[in-house]
Amino acid sequence: MNRGICRSKSGVTYIADYQDNPERKCPVRIYATSDFDDFTTAWEFPPGAIRHIHALVPDSETPGRIWVLTGDEDHECHFLYTDDDFISVKAYLSKGQMTRTADLIFRTGKLIWGMDSPLETSYLLSSGRDNPEVTRLLELPGPVYYMAQNQAGGIYCGTTVEAGPAVKDRFGRVYGSRPDETWDELVRCRDDFFPQ
């Protein structure tokens, strides 16, 4: 996944292991490098713990924090984070498909994300940093892979088309929010299952 690489404030680049891993027989690793010649394992999930890592996201409001987003089955979908360059990893939120995501947006004490699930109806969701109760912001027609925000306070996300019971039609879309978090569909394009 495109969000599977990030650079820490200490200058180390972390790269997440994203493999198909359908049988969950492989360990899933996060690698570290300072020069792109030598790589070490910064963190390892044992076989069977998760399928793969969807994203490593540096926190724009908490310096030094990196979020680790995992999937895909309910018991594998977690929001984890490190504040110490992967000496330790802490659990924040594990809510099944609601925490199956590939990106995070940070806004004044809140986390905002889109579900990356073809299995259950996808939503844009949020939770507070100090209170991990999940709030639904908007029902979506399909999974979300990527999100972005601009300096004016707008947030954007794109939905895709995948094979799965919760995908409502064959259109990919871009949604955008105003600073008051009112959401609108901005773009709609017919899509197929390949490539996603």
Side-chain angles (χ1 to χ4, degrees), residues 133-147:
E133 183 177 330
V134 177
T135 301
R136 290 179 177 175
L137 304 176
L138 180 68
E139 183 174 331
L140 299 168
V144 173
Y145 289 173
Y146 304 112
M147 298 186 71

Side-chain angles (χ1 to χ4, degrees), residues 34-99:
S34 296
D35 57 13
F36 288 91
D37 286 323
D38 297 311
F39 293 83
T40 59
T41 298
W43 191 263
E44 180 175 303
F45 295 92
I50 61 170
R51 182 176 186 182
H52 45 219
I53 299 167
H54 287 167
L56 301 175
V57 184
D59 193 315
S60 61
E61 293 185 342
T62 304
R65 178 169 291 178
I66 297 172
W67 291 87
V68 181
L69 310 175
T70 66
D72 279 341
E73 299 298 328
D74 285 357
H75 67 281
E76 301 169 324
C77 298
H78 309 292
F79 287 15
L80 311 167
Y81 66 89
T82 181
D83 288 327
D84 54 18
D85 285 320
F86 292 99
I87 294 169
S88 65
V89 171
K90 298 177 182 175
Y92 173 74
L93 198 58
S94 299
K95 297 277 189 183
Q97 297 299 295
M98 283 199 304
T99 47

Side-chain angles (χ1 to χ4, degrees), residues 152-187:
I155 299 174
Y156 304 89
C157 74
T159 66
T160 191
V161 176
E162 282 187 40
V167 178
K168 293 182 172 50
D169 58 32
R170 301 293 293 272
F171 291 90
R173 293 170 171 85
V174 174
Y175 291 89
S177 83
R178 300 183 184 100
D180 67 356
E181 296 184 12
T182 301
W183 291 88
D184 295 303
E185 181 182 314
L186 305 177
V187 177

